[in-house]
Short mmCIF file of all heavy atoms in Angstrom, two decimals:
data_model
loop_
_atom_site.label_atom_id
_atom_site.label_comp_id
_atom_site.label_asym_id
_atom_site.label_seq_id
_atom_site.Cartn_x
_atom_site.Cartn_y
_atom_site.Cartn_z
N TRP A 586 10.38 -3.77 -12.28
CA TRP A 586 8.91 -3.73 -12.27
C TRP A 586 8.38 -4.46 -11.04
O TRP A 586 9.01 -5.37 -10.51
CB TRP A 586 8.37 -4.39 -13.53
CG TRP A 586 8.89 -5.79 -13.72
CD1 TRP A 586 8.38 -6.94 -13.20
CD2 TRP A 586 10.05 -6.18 -14.48
NE1 TRP A 586 9.14 -8.03 -13.58
CE2 TRP A 586 10.18 -7.59 -14.37
CE3 TRP A 586 10.99 -5.48 -15.24
CZ2 TRP A 586 11.19 -8.31 -14.99
CZ3 TRP A 586 12.01 -6.19 -15.85
CH2 TRP A 586 12.10 -7.59 -15.73
N GLU A 587 7.17 -4.08 -10.58
CA GLU A 587 6.53 -4.75 -9.45
C GLU A 587 5.03 -4.53 -9.51
O GLU A 587 4.55 -3.44 -9.16
CB GLU A 587 7.05 -4.21 -8.10
CG GLU A 587 8.52 -4.48 -7.82
CD GLU A 587 8.92 -4.13 -6.39
OE1 GLU A 587 8.06 -4.26 -5.48
OE2 GLU A 587 10.06 -3.72 -6.19
N VAL A 588 4.28 -5.52 -9.92
CA VAL A 588 2.81 -5.42 -9.87
C VAL A 588 2.37 -5.59 -8.42
O VAL A 588 2.82 -6.50 -7.73
CB VAL A 588 2.14 -6.46 -10.79
CG1 VAL A 588 2.53 -7.88 -10.45
CG2 VAL A 588 0.62 -6.30 -10.77
N GLU A 589 1.50 -4.69 -7.96
CA GLU A 589 1.09 -4.71 -6.55
C GLU A 589 -0.38 -4.35 -6.40
O GLU A 589 -0.92 -3.51 -7.14
CB GLU A 589 1.93 -3.73 -5.72
CG GLU A 589 3.43 -3.96 -5.87
CD GLU A 589 4.25 -3.43 -4.72
OE1 GLU A 589 3.66 -2.94 -3.74
OE2 GLU A 589 5.49 -3.51 -4.81
N LEU A 590 -1.00 -4.97 -5.40
CA LEU A 590 -2.34 -4.57 -4.99
C LEU A 590 -2.24 -3.27 -4.21
O LEU A 590 -1.46 -3.15 -3.27
CB LEU A 590 -2.95 -5.65 -4.09
CG LEU A 590 -4.29 -5.31 -3.43
CD1 LEU A 590 -5.41 -5.30 -4.45
CD2 LEU A 590 -4.59 -6.28 -2.29
N GLY A 591 -3.05 -2.29 -4.59
CA GLY A 591 -3.09 -1.02 -3.88
C GLY A 591 -4.35 -0.89 -3.04
O GLY A 591 -5.46 -1.15 -3.53
N ILE A 592 -4.17 -0.55 -1.77
CA ILE A 592 -5.29 -0.27 -0.87
C ILE A 592 -5.55 1.23 -0.89
O ILE A 592 -4.62 2.02 -0.69
CB ILE A 592 -4.97 -0.69 0.57
CG1 ILE A 592 -4.53 -2.15 0.67
CG2 ILE A 592 -6.14 -0.41 1.50
CD1 ILE A 592 -3.92 -2.51 2.02
N VAL A 593 -6.79 1.63 -1.09
CA VAL A 593 -7.16 3.04 -1.03
C VAL A 593 -7.95 3.28 0.26
O VAL A 593 -9.01 2.66 0.48
CB VAL A 593 -8.00 3.46 -2.25
CG1 VAL A 593 -8.38 4.94 -2.15
CG2 VAL A 593 -7.23 3.18 -3.53
N ILE A 594 -7.44 4.15 1.11
CA ILE A 594 -8.10 4.45 2.38
C ILE A 594 -9.31 5.35 2.12
O ILE A 594 -9.24 6.32 1.36
CB ILE A 594 -7.12 5.13 3.35
CG1 ILE A 594 -5.96 4.18 3.68
CG2 ILE A 594 -7.84 5.56 4.64
CD1 ILE A 594 -6.36 2.88 4.34
N GLY A 595 -10.42 5.00 2.77
CA GLY A 595 -11.65 5.78 2.61
C GLY A 595 -12.07 6.54 3.85
O GLY A 595 -12.69 7.60 3.75
N ARG A 596 -11.74 6.00 5.03
CA ARG A 596 -12.06 6.68 6.28
C ARG A 596 -10.82 6.79 7.15
O ARG A 596 -9.97 5.90 7.16
CB ARG A 596 -13.14 5.90 7.06
CG ARG A 596 -14.50 5.88 6.42
CD ARG A 596 -15.58 5.49 7.44
NE ARG A 596 -15.35 4.15 7.98
CZ ARG A 596 -15.16 3.89 9.27
NH1 ARG A 596 -15.12 4.88 10.17
NH2 ARG A 596 -14.98 2.65 9.69
N ARG A 597 -10.71 7.90 7.86
CA ARG A 597 -9.57 8.15 8.73
C ARG A 597 -9.33 6.94 9.63
O ARG A 597 -10.25 6.42 10.26
CB ARG A 597 -9.82 9.40 9.57
CG ARG A 597 -8.72 9.80 10.52
CD ARG A 597 -9.13 11.07 11.26
NE ARG A 597 -8.10 11.52 12.20
CZ ARG A 597 -8.01 11.11 13.46
NH1 ARG A 597 -8.88 10.23 13.94
NH2 ARG A 597 -7.06 11.57 14.25
N ALA A 598 -8.09 6.51 9.70
CA ALA A 598 -7.74 5.33 10.49
C ALA A 598 -6.60 5.67 11.45
O ALA A 598 -5.50 6.01 11.01
CB ALA A 598 -7.33 4.18 9.57
N LYS A 599 -6.87 5.59 12.72
CA LYS A 599 -5.86 5.80 13.75
C LYS A 599 -6.11 4.80 14.87
O LYS A 599 -7.21 4.74 15.43
CB LYS A 599 -5.92 7.23 14.30
CG LYS A 599 -4.82 7.54 15.31
CD LYS A 599 -4.82 9.01 15.70
CE LYS A 599 -3.66 9.32 16.64
NZ LYS A 599 -3.61 10.76 17.00
N TYR A 600 -5.10 4.00 15.16
CA TYR A 600 -5.19 2.95 16.19
C TYR A 600 -6.37 2.02 15.95
O TYR A 600 -7.10 1.67 16.88
CB TYR A 600 -5.29 3.57 17.58
CG TYR A 600 -4.13 4.48 17.95
CD1 TYR A 600 -4.36 5.73 18.52
CD2 TYR A 600 -2.82 4.08 17.74
CE1 TYR A 600 -3.30 6.57 18.87
CE2 TYR A 600 -1.75 4.92 18.09
CZ TYR A 600 -2.00 6.15 18.64
OH TYR A 600 -0.95 6.98 18.98
N VAL A 601 -6.59 1.62 14.71
CA VAL A 601 -7.70 0.71 14.44
C VAL A 601 -7.26 -0.74 14.64
O VAL A 601 -6.09 -1.08 14.45
CB VAL A 601 -8.27 0.90 13.01
CG1 VAL A 601 -8.75 2.31 12.80
CG2 VAL A 601 -7.26 0.51 11.95
N SER A 602 -8.18 -1.57 15.04
CA SER A 602 -7.89 -3.00 15.22
C SER A 602 -7.90 -3.68 13.86
O SER A 602 -8.47 -3.19 12.88
CB SER A 602 -8.94 -3.63 16.12
OG SER A 602 -10.19 -3.66 15.47
N GLU A 603 -7.29 -4.86 13.83
CA GLU A 603 -7.33 -5.65 12.60
C GLU A 603 -8.77 -6.01 12.24
O GLU A 603 -9.14 -6.04 11.06
CB GLU A 603 -6.47 -6.89 12.78
CG GLU A 603 -6.21 -7.65 11.50
CD GLU A 603 -5.19 -8.76 11.67
OE1 GLU A 603 -4.33 -8.65 12.58
OE2 GLU A 603 -5.25 -9.73 10.89
N ALA A 604 -9.59 -6.27 13.26
CA ALA A 604 -10.98 -6.63 13.01
C ALA A 604 -11.77 -5.50 12.35
O ALA A 604 -12.72 -5.75 11.59
CB ALA A 604 -11.65 -7.04 14.32
N ASP A 605 -11.40 -4.26 12.64
CA ASP A 605 -12.12 -3.10 12.10
C ASP A 605 -11.46 -2.50 10.87
O ASP A 605 -12.01 -1.59 10.24
CB ASP A 605 -12.23 -2.01 13.17
CG ASP A 605 -13.12 -2.42 14.33
OD1 ASP A 605 -13.99 -3.30 14.13
OD2 ASP A 605 -12.93 -1.88 15.45
N ALA A 606 -10.28 -2.98 10.51
CA ALA A 606 -9.46 -2.29 9.51
C ALA A 606 -10.12 -2.18 8.15
O ALA A 606 -10.06 -1.13 7.49
CB ALA A 606 -8.10 -3.00 9.39
N LEU A 607 -10.77 -3.25 7.69
CA LEU A 607 -11.34 -3.22 6.34
C LEU A 607 -12.47 -2.21 6.21
O LEU A 607 -12.79 -1.77 5.10
CB LEU A 607 -11.82 -4.61 5.94
CG LEU A 607 -10.73 -5.69 5.82
CD1 LEU A 607 -11.33 -6.99 5.32
CD2 LEU A 607 -9.59 -5.23 4.92
N GLY A 608 -13.06 -1.80 7.33
CA GLY A 608 -14.09 -0.77 7.29
C GLY A 608 -13.54 0.60 6.94
O GLY A 608 -14.31 1.53 6.70
N HIS A 609 -12.24 0.74 6.93
CA HIS A 609 -11.59 2.01 6.59
C HIS A 609 -11.10 2.04 5.14
O HIS A 609 -10.45 3.00 4.73
CB HIS A 609 -10.44 2.28 7.55
CG HIS A 609 -10.89 2.49 8.96
ND1 HIS A 609 -11.07 3.75 9.50
CD2 HIS A 609 -11.23 1.61 9.94
CE1 HIS A 609 -11.48 3.63 10.76
NE2 HIS A 609 -11.60 2.35 11.04
N VAL A 610 -11.38 0.99 4.39
CA VAL A 610 -10.90 0.86 3.01
C VAL A 610 -12.00 1.28 2.04
O VAL A 610 -13.11 0.75 2.07
CB VAL A 610 -10.44 -0.59 2.73
CG1 VAL A 610 -10.08 -0.76 1.27
CG2 VAL A 610 -9.27 -0.96 3.63
N ALA A 611 -11.67 2.23 1.15
CA ALA A 611 -12.63 2.65 0.12
C ALA A 611 -12.66 1.66 -1.03
O ALA A 611 -13.69 1.47 -1.69
CB ALA A 611 -12.27 4.03 -0.41
N GLY A 612 -11.51 1.05 -1.31
CA GLY A 612 -11.44 0.12 -2.43
C GLY A 612 -10.01 -0.24 -2.75
O GLY A 612 -9.09 0.05 -1.98
N TYR A 613 -9.86 -0.84 -3.92
CA TYR A 613 -8.56 -1.38 -4.32
C TYR A 613 -8.23 -0.98 -5.75
O TYR A 613 -9.11 -0.71 -6.57
CB TYR A 613 -8.57 -2.91 -4.19
CG TYR A 613 -8.90 -3.36 -2.78
CD1 TYR A 613 -10.21 -3.70 -2.43
CD2 TYR A 613 -7.93 -3.40 -1.80
CE1 TYR A 613 -10.53 -4.08 -1.14
CE2 TYR A 613 -8.24 -3.79 -0.50
CZ TYR A 613 -9.54 -4.13 -0.18
OH TYR A 613 -9.85 -4.49 1.11
N THR A 614 -6.93 -0.98 -6.05
CA THR A 614 -6.47 -0.62 -7.38
C THR A 614 -5.16 -1.34 -7.64
O THR A 614 -4.70 -2.14 -6.82
CB THR A 614 -6.33 0.92 -7.50
OG1 THR A 614 -6.08 1.27 -8.86
CG2 THR A 614 -5.19 1.45 -6.62
N ILE A 615 -4.57 -1.10 -8.80
CA ILE A 615 -3.28 -1.67 -9.15
C ILE A 615 -2.22 -0.59 -9.05
O ILE A 615 -2.43 0.55 -9.48
CB ILE A 615 -3.28 -2.24 -10.58
CG1 ILE A 615 -4.39 -3.28 -10.75
CG2 ILE A 615 -1.92 -2.86 -10.92
CD1 ILE A 615 -4.56 -3.74 -12.19
N VAL A 616 -1.08 -0.95 -8.48
CA VAL A 616 0.10 -0.07 -8.45
C VAL A 616 1.26 -0.81 -9.08
O VAL A 616 1.51 -1.97 -8.74
CB VAL A 616 0.47 0.33 -7.00
CG1 VAL A 616 1.71 1.23 -7.00
CG2 VAL A 616 -0.69 1.02 -6.30
N ASN A 617 1.95 -0.18 -10.01
CA ASN A 617 3.24 -0.69 -10.48
C ASN A 617 4.32 0.05 -9.69
O ASN A 617 4.59 1.22 -9.93
CB ASN A 617 3.42 -0.46 -11.98
CG ASN A 617 4.65 -1.18 -12.54
OD1 ASN A 617 5.44 -1.75 -11.79
ND2 ASN A 617 4.80 -1.16 -13.85
N ASP A 618 4.87 -0.65 -8.70
CA ASP A 618 5.89 -0.04 -7.84
C ASP A 618 7.25 -0.13 -8.54
O ASP A 618 8.12 -0.92 -8.17
CB ASP A 618 5.91 -0.75 -6.48
CG ASP A 618 7.00 -0.24 -5.56
OD1 ASP A 618 7.45 0.92 -5.75
OD2 ASP A 618 7.41 -0.98 -4.65
N VAL A 619 7.41 0.68 -9.59
CA VAL A 619 8.67 0.69 -10.34
C VAL A 619 9.80 1.11 -9.40
O VAL A 619 9.62 2.03 -8.59
CB VAL A 619 8.58 1.62 -11.57
CG1 VAL A 619 9.84 1.51 -12.42
CG2 VAL A 619 7.34 1.28 -12.41
N SER A 620 10.93 0.42 -9.50
CA SER A 620 11.99 0.59 -8.50
C SER A 620 13.36 0.57 -9.18
O SER A 620 13.67 -0.37 -9.94
CB SER A 620 11.94 -0.57 -7.49
OG SER A 620 10.65 -0.71 -6.93
N GLU A 621 14.17 1.59 -8.91
CA GLU A 621 15.54 1.59 -9.39
C GLU A 621 16.41 0.92 -8.31
O GLU A 621 16.67 1.51 -7.27
CB GLU A 621 16.02 3.01 -9.68
CG GLU A 621 16.97 3.15 -10.85
CD GLU A 621 18.27 2.34 -10.74
OE1 GLU A 621 18.72 2.06 -9.61
OE2 GLU A 621 18.85 2.03 -11.79
N ARG A 622 16.81 -0.33 -8.55
CA ARG A 622 17.45 -1.12 -7.50
C ARG A 622 18.81 -0.57 -7.07
O ARG A 622 19.17 -0.66 -5.88
CB ARG A 622 17.62 -2.57 -7.97
CG ARG A 622 16.34 -3.26 -8.42
CD ARG A 622 15.32 -3.35 -7.31
NE ARG A 622 14.19 -4.21 -7.72
CZ ARG A 622 13.10 -4.37 -7.03
NH1 ARG A 622 12.92 -3.72 -5.89
NH2 ARG A 622 12.12 -5.16 -7.46
N ALA A 623 19.57 0.00 -7.99
CA ALA A 623 20.86 0.57 -7.60
C ALA A 623 20.65 1.77 -6.70
O ALA A 623 21.33 1.93 -5.67
CB ALA A 623 21.68 0.95 -8.83
N PHE A 624 19.70 2.63 -7.04
CA PHE A 624 19.37 3.77 -6.18
C PHE A 624 18.87 3.28 -4.82
O PHE A 624 19.15 3.86 -3.78
CB PHE A 624 18.27 4.63 -6.80
CG PHE A 624 18.65 5.38 -8.06
CD1 PHE A 624 19.85 5.18 -8.71
CD2 PHE A 624 17.75 6.30 -8.60
CE1 PHE A 624 20.17 5.87 -9.88
CE2 PHE A 624 18.06 7.01 -9.76
CZ PHE A 624 19.26 6.78 -10.41
N GLN A 625 18.10 2.18 -4.86
CA GLN A 625 17.40 1.67 -3.68
C GLN A 625 18.36 1.06 -2.65
O GLN A 625 18.22 1.28 -1.44
CB GLN A 625 16.37 0.62 -4.10
CG GLN A 625 15.62 -0.03 -2.96
CD GLN A 625 14.69 -1.14 -3.46
OE1 GLN A 625 14.49 -1.31 -4.66
NE2 GLN A 625 14.13 -1.90 -2.54
N THR A 626 19.33 0.27 -3.15
CA THR A 626 20.12 -0.55 -2.22
C THR A 626 21.62 -0.33 -2.27
O THR A 626 22.33 -0.83 -1.39
CB THR A 626 19.85 -2.04 -2.48
OG1 THR A 626 20.28 -2.38 -3.81
CG2 THR A 626 18.37 -2.36 -2.32
N GLU A 627 22.11 0.39 -3.27
CA GLU A 627 23.56 0.51 -3.44
C GLU A 627 24.10 1.91 -3.18
O GLU A 627 25.31 2.13 -3.27
CB GLU A 627 23.96 0.06 -4.85
CG GLU A 627 23.59 -1.39 -5.15
CD GLU A 627 23.85 -1.78 -6.59
OE1 GLU A 627 24.64 -1.07 -7.27
OE2 GLU A 627 23.27 -2.79 -7.05
#
């Protein structure tokens, strides 16, 4: 299991600066990044 903050992109972002990056975010959500570790690393 892996509880994670999810960023949802709202505006097209290409070569954006860190200062401008949050202006491209529509909002946030929760993601459970479920992971099969044997498949992942072995």
Side-chain angles (χ1 to χ4, degrees):
W586 54 86
E587 295 189 32
V588 58
E589 306 203 4
L590 173 72
I592 305 168
V593 180
I594 297 299
R596 292 198 299 120
R597 181 180 180 272
K599 184 174 184 178
Y600 302 133
V601 301
S602 68
E603 191 171 334
D605 293 336
L607 295 184
H609 295 263
V610 174
Y613 302 96
T614 189
I615 303 172
V616 179
N617 189 354
D618 176 23
V619 186
S620 307
E621 215 301 333
R622 304 299 189 187
F624 292 8
Q625 178 184 351
T626 62
E627 300 174 19

